[in-house]
Coordinates of all heavy atoms in Angstrom, one line a residue:
P15 N -5.9 -3.7 0.6 CA -7.2 -3.8 1.2 C -8.4 -4.0 0.1 O -8.2 -3.4 -1.0 CB -7.4 -2.4 1.8 CG -6.0 -1.9 2.1 CD -5.2 -2.6 1.0
G16 N -9.3 -4.8 0.4 CA -10.3 -5.2 -0.5 C -9.9 -6.4 -1.3 O -10.8 -6.9 -2.0
G17 N -8.7 -6.8 -1.3 CA -8.2 -8.0 -2.0 C -8.6 -9.3 -1.4 O -9.2 -9.4 -0.4
S18 N -8.1 -10.4 -2.1 CA -8.3 -11.7 -1.6 C -7.2 -12.5 -1.6 O -6.2 -12.4 -2.4 CB -9.4 -12.4 -2.6 OG -10.6 -11.8 -2.6
L19 N -7.2 -13.6 -0.8 CA -6.1 -14.6 -0.6 C -6.7 -15.9 -0.3 O -7.8 -16.0 0.3 CB -5.0 -14.3 0.5 CG -4.0 -13.2 0.1 CD1 -3.2 -12.9 1.4 CD2 -3.1 -13.6 -1.0
R20 N -6.1 -17.0 -0.7 CA -6.5 -18.4 -0.4 C -5.4 -19.2 0.2 O -4.4 -19.4 -0.4 CB -7.0 -19.0 -1.7 CG -7.6 -20.4 -1.4 CD -8.2 -21.0 -2.8 NE -8.8 -22.3 -2.6 CZ -8.3 -23.4 -2.9 NH1 -7.0 -23.5 -3.4 NH2 -8.9 -24.6 -2.7
L21 N -5.7 -19.5 1.6 CA -4.7 -20.3 2.3 C -5.0 -21.7 2.2 O -6.0 -22.1 2.1 CB -4.7 -19.9 3.8 CG -4.5 -18.3 4.1 CD1 -4.4 -18.1 5.5 CD2 -3.2 -17.8 3.4
S22 N -4.0 -22.5 2.2 CA -4.1 -24.0 2.2 C -3.3 -24.6 3.3 O -2.3 -24.0 3.6 CB -3.6 -24.6 0.9 OG -4.3 -24.1 -0.2
C23 N -3.9 -25.6 3.9 CA -3.2 -26.5 4.9 C -3.3 -27.9 4.7 O -4.4 -28.5 4.6 CB -3.8 -26.1 6.3 SG -3.1 -27.1 7.6
A24 N -2.2 -28.7 4.5 CA -2.2 -30.1 4.2 C -1.6 -30.8 5.5 O -0.5 -30.5 5.9 CB -1.3 -30.3 3.0
A25 N -2.4 -31.8 5.9 CA -1.9 -32.6 6.9 C -1.4 -34.0 6.5 O -2.2 -34.6 5.6 CB -3.1 -32.8 7.9
S26 N -0.4 -34.5 6.9 CA 0.2 -35.8 6.5 C 1.0 -36.4 7.6 O 1.2 -35.8 8.6 CB 1.0 -35.6 5.3 OG 2.1 -34.8 5.5
G27 N 1.4 -37.6 7.4 CA 2.2 -38.5 8.4 C 1.4 -39.4 9.2 O 0.5 -40.0 8.7
S28 N 1.9 -39.5 10.4 CA 1.2 -40.6 11.3 C 0.1 -40.1 11.9 O -0.1 -40.0 13.1 CB 2.3 -40.9 12.3 OG 3.5 -41.5 11.7
I29 N -1.0 -39.9 11.1 CA -2.4 -39.5 11.5 C -3.3 -40.6 11.4 O -3.5 -41.1 10.3 CB -2.8 -38.2 10.8 CG1 -1.9 -37.1 10.9 CG2 -4.3 -37.9 11.2 CD1 -2.2 -35.8 10.3
F30 N -3.9 -41.0 12.5 CA -5.0 -42.1 12.5 C -6.4 -41.6 12.1 O -7.1 -42.1 11.3 CB -5.0 -42.8 13.8 CG -6.0 -43.9 13.9 CD1 -5.7 -45.1 13.2 CD2 -7.2 -43.7 14.5 CE1 -6.6 -46.2 13.3 CE2 -8.1 -44.8 14.5 CZ -7.8 -46.0 13.9
S31 N -6.7 -40.4 12.8 CA -8.0 -39.9 12.5 C -7.9 -38.4 12.9 O -7.4 -37.9 13.9 CB -9.0 -40.5 13.4 OG -10.4 -40.0 13.3
I32 N -8.6 -37.6 12.0 CA -8.7 -36.1 12.2 C -10.1 -35.7 12.6 O -11.1 -36.1 12.0 CB -8.3 -35.4 10.8 CG1 -6.9 -35.5 10.4 CG2 -8.6 -33.9 11.1 CD1 -6.6 -35.0 9.1
Y33 N -10.2 -34.9 13.7 CA -11.4 -34.6 14.3 C -11.8 -33.2 13.9 O -13.0 -32.9 13.8 CB -11.4 -34.7 15.8 CG -11.4 -36.2 16.3 CD1 -10.2 -37.0 16.4 CD2 -12.6 -36.8 16.6 CE1 -10.3 -38.3 16.7 CE2 -12.7 -38.1 17.0 CZ -11.4 -38.8 17.1 OH -11.4 -40.2 17.4
A34 N -10.9 -32.4 13.7 CA -11.2 -31.0 13.3 C -9.9 -30.4 12.7 O -8.7 -30.7 13.0 CB -11.7 -30.1 14.5
M35 N -10.1 -29.4 11.8 CA -9.1 -28.6 11.3 C -9.5 -27.1 11.3 O -10.7 -26.8 11.2 CB -8.7 -28.9 9.8 CG -8.3 -30.5 9.8 SD -8.0 -30.9 7.9 CE -6.3 -30.2 7.9
G36 N -8.5 -26.2 11.6 CA -8.9 -24.9 11.6 C -7.7 -23.8 11.3 O -6.6 -24.3 11.2
W37 N -8.2 -22.6 11.3 CA -7.1 -21.5 11.1 C -7.2 -20.6 12.4 O -8.3 -20.2 12.8 CB -7.4 -20.8 9.9 CG -7.1 -21.5 8.6 CD1 -8.0 -22.2 7.9 CD2 -5.8 -21.6 8.0 NE1 -7.3 -22.8 6.8 CE2 -6.0 -22.4 6.9 CE3 -4.6 -21.1 8.2 CZ2 -5.0 -22.8 6.0 CZ3 -3.5 -21.5 7.4 CH2 -3.7 -22.3 6.3
Y38 N -6.0 -20.2 12.9 CA -5.9 -19.3 13.9 C -4.9 -18.1 13.4 O -4.2 -18.3 12.4 CB -5.2 -19.9 15.1 CG -6.2 -20.8 15.9 CD1 -6.5 -22.0 15.5 CD2 -6.7 -20.5 17.2 CE1 -7.4 -22.9 16.1 CE2 -7.5 -21.3 17.9 CZ -7.8 -22.5 17.4 OH -8.6 -23.4 18.1
R39 N -5.0 -17.1 14.0 CA -4.1 -16.0 13.6 C -3.5 -15.3 14.9 O -4.2 -15.2 15.9 CB -4.8 -14.9 12.7 CG -5.9 -14.2 13.2 CD -6.6 -13.3 12.2 NE -7.6 -12.4 12.7 CZ -8.5 -11.7 11.9 NH1 -8.3 -11.8 10.6 NH2 -9.4 -11.0 12.4
Q40 N -2.4 -14.7 14.7 CA -1.8 -13.8 15.8 C -1.1 -12.7 15.3 O -0.2 -12.7 14.5 CB -0.8 -14.8 16.7 CG -0.3 -14.1 17.8 CD 0.5 -15.1 18.7 OE1 1.0 -16.1 18.3 NE2 0.6 -14.8 20.0
A41 N -1.5 -11.4 15.8 CA -0.9 -10.2 15.4 C 0.1 -9.8 16.5 O 0.0 -10.3 17.6 CB -2.0 -9.1 15.3
P42 N 1.0 -9.0 16.2 CA 2.0 -8.5 17.2 C 1.3 -8.0 18.4 O 0.3 -7.1 18.3 CB 2.8 -7.4 16.6 CG 2.8 -7.9 15.0 CD 1.3 -8.3 14.9
G43 N 1.7 -8.4 19.6 CA 1.1 -7.9 20.9 C -0.2 -8.5 21.3 O -0.9 -8.0 22.4
K44 N -0.8 -9.4 20.4 CA -2.1 -9.9 20.8 C -2.0 -11.4 20.9 O -1.0 -12.1 20.4 CB -3.1 -9.5 19.7 CG -3.4 -8.1 19.5 CD -4.5 -7.8 18.5 CE -4.8 -6.4 18.5 NZ -5.8 -6.1 17.5
Q45 N -3.0 -12.0 21.5 CA -3.2 -13.4 21.7 C -3.5 -14.0 20.4 O -4.3 -13.5 19.6 CB -4.0 -13.8 22.8 CG -3.5 -13.6 24.2 CD -4.4 -14.3 25.3 OE1 -5.5 -14.0 25.4 NE2 -3.8 -15.2 26.0
R46 N -3.2 -15.3 20.3 CA -3.6 -16.1 19.1 C -5.1 -16.3 19.3 O -5.7 -16.7 20.3 CB -2.9 -17.5 19.0 CG -3.2 -18.2 17.8 CD -2.4 -19.4 17.7 NE -0.9 -19.1 17.7 CZ 0.0 -20.0 17.6 NH1 -0.2 -21.4 17.5 NH2 1.3 -19.6 17.5
E47 N -5.9 -16.1 18.1 CA -7.3 -16.2 18.1 C -7.8 -17.1 17.0 O -7.2 -17.3 15.9 CB -7.9 -14.8 17.9 CG -7.8 -14.2 16.6 CD -8.5 -12.9 16.4 OE1 -9.4 -12.6 17.2 OE2 -8.2 -12.1 15.5
L48 N -9.0 -17.8 17.2 CA -9.6 -18.6 16.2 C -10.1 -17.8 15.1 O -10.9 -16.8 15.4 CB -10.6 -19.6 17.0 CG -11.4 -20.3 15.9 CD1 -10.6 -21.4 15.3 CD2 -12.7 -20.9 16.6
V49 N -9.9 -18.2 13.9 CA -10.5 -17.5 12.8 C -11.6 -18.3 12.2 O -12.7 -17.8 12.0 CB -9.3 -17.2 11.7 CG1 -10.0 -16.6 10.5 CG2 -8.2 -16.4 12.2
A50 N -11.4 -19.6 12.0 CA -12.3 -20.4 11.4 C -11.9 -21.9 11.6 O -10.7 -22.2 11.7 CB -12.6 -20.2 10.0
A51 N -13.0 -22.7 11.8 CA -12.8 -24.1 12.0 C -13.8 -25.0 11.4 O -14.9 -24.5 11.3 CB -12.5 -24.4 13.5
I52 N -13.4 -26.2 11.1 CA -14.4 -27.2 10.6 C -14.2 -28.6 11.3 O -13.1 -29.1 11.4 CB -14.4 -27.3 9.1 CG1 -15.5 -28.2 8.5 CG2 -13.0 -27.8 8.6 CD1 -15.6 -28.1 7.0
T53 N -15.2 -29.2 11.7 CA -15.2 -30.5 12.4 C -15.3 -31.6 11.4 O -15.5 -31.4 10.2 CB -16.2 -30.7 13.4 OG1 -17.5 -30.7 12.8 CG2 -16.3 -29.4 14.4
R54 N -15.0 -32.8 11.9 CA -15.1 -34.0 11.0 C -16.5 -34.1 10.4 O -16.7 -34.6 9.3 CB -14.8 -35.3 11.9 CG -14.9 -36.6 11.0 CD -14.2 -37.6 11.8 NE -14.8 -37.9 13.1 CZ -14.3 -38.9 14.0 NH1 -13.3 -39.6 13.7 NH2 -15.0 -39.0 15.1
G55 N -17.6 -33.7 11.2 CA -18.8 -33.8 10.6 C -19.3 -32.6 9.8 O -20.4 -32.6 9.3
G56 N -18.4 -31.7 9.6 CA -18.6 -30.6 8.6 C -19.2 -29.3 9.3 O -19.4 -28.3 8.6
T57 N -19.3 -29.3 10.6 CA -19.7 -28.1 11.4 C -18.6 -26.9 11.3 O -17.5 -27.3 11.5 CB -20.1 -28.4 12.7 OG1 -21.1 -29.3 12.9 CG2 -20.5 -27.0 13.5
T58 N -19.0 -25.7 10.9 CA -18.1 -24.6 10.9 C -18.2 -23.7 12.0 O -19.4 -23.5 12.5 CB -18.1 -23.9 9.5 OG1 -19.5 -23.5 9.2 CG2 -17.8 -24.9 8.3
N59 N -17.2 -23.0 12.3 CA -17.2 -22.0 13.2 C -16.3 -20.8 12.8 O -15.2 -21.0 12.4 CB -16.7 -22.5 14.6 CG -16.9 -21.5 15.7 OD1 -17.8 -20.7 15.7 ND2 -16.1 -21.7 16.7
Y60 N -16.8 -19.6 12.9 CA -16.1 -18.4 12.5 C -16.0 -17.3 13.5 O -17.0 -17.1 14.3 CB -16.8 -17.8 11.2 CG -16.7 -18.6 9.9 CD1 -17.8 -19.5 9.7 CD2 -15.7 -18.6 9.1 CE1 -17.8 -20.2 8.6 CE2 -15.7 -19.4 7.9 CZ -16.8 -20.2 7.7 OH -16.8 -21.0 6.4
A61 N -14.9 -16.6 13.6 CA -14.9 -15.5 14.5 C -15.8 -14.4 13.8 O -16.0 -14.3 12.6 CB -13.5 -14.9 14.4

């Protein structure tokens, strides 16, 4: 607790255009929820 981590996500393959990328998380017994996202234009959204 109180520590830090840095997650990375790389997209590759047959992708023509990316509109948004983001992170979701799911804990046991709970639904998957949005953590953070960023659109092609740079708009961000956080839980």
Side-chain angles (χ1 to χ4, degrees):
S18 298
L19 284 174
R20 183 174 182 259
L21 305 183
S22 298
C23 172
S26 62
S28 302
I29 298 175
F30 181 77
S31 182
I32 295 176
Y33 287 83
M35 301 181 74
W37 291 94
Y38 290 71
R39 67 186 181 188
Q40 187 168 23
K44 296 185 178 181
Q45 284 193 301
R46 188 173 299 183
E47 64 173 348
L48 174 69
V49 178
I52 185 167
T53 69
R54 181 167 59 181
T57 301
T58 57
N59 186 29
Y60 296 92

